[in-house]
Amino acid sequence: MERPKRADARRNHDRILAAAQVAVARDGADASLEEIARQAGVGSATLHRHFPSRLALLEAVFLDRVETLCSQARELAADPDPGAALVTWLRAIGAYAANVRGLAASLLRSACELDHAERSVTCHGKVSDAGEELLSRARQAGAVRPDVSVGDLLTLVNALSLATERHPDPCAETDRLLLLALEGIGP
């Protein structure tokens, strides 16, 4: 069982996370760890004690939004039109990925670098698990071909957000391209 953190350790953790959220919003997933530590008022070693890797820090930064996307998937699972529900959810993921520079690359990299057990507790794993029910329902309704996987769809969304990062309106362009691409996933 993990011991509770001391008050000063909790404060450091929270300050690092807050500084990372600001830095990632401004600079994307490749934000400087040294700058994050400086803005949090801690040393680099303290940052690495709390977040042993860039991926661990990014996972913590993205966790709240990922939880929201997962909650949205659970709510959409009750939608009477499973195909539309899946598209709505994928568009929400696309909008988020397009808004956070480097998120798509970071999530794709984490999906490739980790084994299956590790991947299931990451943001990518949580999003994949949340999308599984939506995809299953869409398949059963005949709205999606049986050979399409959640991994395929998330790769598509992430690739589109990567491709549109430098577009003047990356969210709108990601959404436009996603809708074009999703026309091809039906039966």
mmCIF file of all heavy atoms in Angstrom, residues 2 75 96 114 158:
data_model
loop_
_atom_site.group_PDB
_atom_site.id
_atom_site.type_symbol
_atom_site.label_atom_id
_atom_site.label_comp_id
_atom_site.label_asym_id
_atom_site.label_seq_id
_atom_site.Cartn_x
_atom_site.Cartn_y
_atom_site.Cartn_z
ATOM 1 N N GLU A 2 0.514 2.194 -0.839
ATOM 2 C CA GLU A 2 1.295 3.423 -0.959
ATOM 3 C C GLU A 2 0.983 4.363 0.201
ATOM 4 O O GLU A 2 -0.165 4.584 0.555
ATOM 5 C CB GLU A 2 0.946 4.113 -2.281
ATOM 6 C CG GLU A 2 1.878 5.225 -2.619
ATOM 7 C CD GLU A 2 1.557 5.815 -3.976
ATOM 8 O OE1 GLU A 2 1.233 5.049 -4.893
ATOM 9 O OE2 GLU A 2 1.619 7.052 -4.093
ATOM 10 N N GLU A 75 -21.824 7.996 -21.779
ATOM 11 C CA GLU A 75 -23.126 8.640 -21.994
ATOM 12 C C GLU A 75 -23.644 8.379 -23.404
ATOM 13 O O GLU A 75 -24.828 8.095 -23.601
ATOM 14 C CB GLU A 75 -23.021 10.148 -21.748
ATOM 15 C CG GLU A 75 -22.793 10.517 -20.302
ATOM 16 C CD GLU A 75 -22.422 11.985 -20.117
ATOM 17 O OE1 GLU A 75 -22.564 12.777 -21.071
ATOM 18 O OE2 GLU A 75 -21.976 12.324 -19.007
ATOM 19 N N TYR A 96 -10.084 17.762 -29.286
ATOM 20 C CA TYR A 96 -9.125 17.861 -28.190
ATOM 21 C C TYR A 96 -7.701 17.664 -28.704
ATOM 22 O O TYR A 96 -6.798 18.445 -28.373
ATOM 23 C CB TYR A 96 -9.449 16.842 -27.102
ATOM 24 C CG TYR A 96 -8.493 16.921 -25.939
ATOM 25 C CD1 TYR A 96 -8.314 18.110 -25.242
ATOM 26 C CD2 TYR A 96 -7.758 15.822 -25.536
ATOM 27 C CE1 TYR A 96 -7.430 18.200 -24.175
ATOM 28 C CE2 TYR A 96 -6.877 15.900 -24.468
ATOM 29 C CZ TYR A 96 -6.712 17.085 -23.799
ATOM 30 O OH TYR A 96 -5.838 17.163 -22.752
ATOM 31 N N LEU A 114 4.703 0.965 -25.014
ATOM 32 C CA LEU A 114 4.341 0.211 -23.823
ATOM 33 C C LEU A 114 3.770 -1.152 -24.173
ATOM 34 O O LEU A 114 3.179 -1.332 -25.234
ATOM 35 C CB LEU A 114 3.299 1.002 -23.013
ATOM 36 C CG LEU A 114 3.728 2.402 -22.571
ATOM 37 C CD1 LEU A 114 2.557 3.117 -21.935
ATOM 38 C CD2 LEU A 114 4.904 2.329 -21.617
ATOM 39 N N ASN A 158 -5.775 10.666 -34.560
ATOM 40 C CA ASN A 158 -4.466 11.220 -34.196
ATOM 41 C C ASN A 158 -3.678 11.650 -35.426
ATOM 42 O O ASN A 158 -3.034 12.704 -35.422
ATOM 43 C CB ASN A 158 -3.666 10.212 -33.367
ATOM 44 C CG ASN A 158 -4.156 10.129 -31.945
ATOM 45 O OD1 ASN A 158 -4.644 11.098 -31.390
ATOM 46 N ND2 ASN A 158 -4.050 8.956 -31.353
#
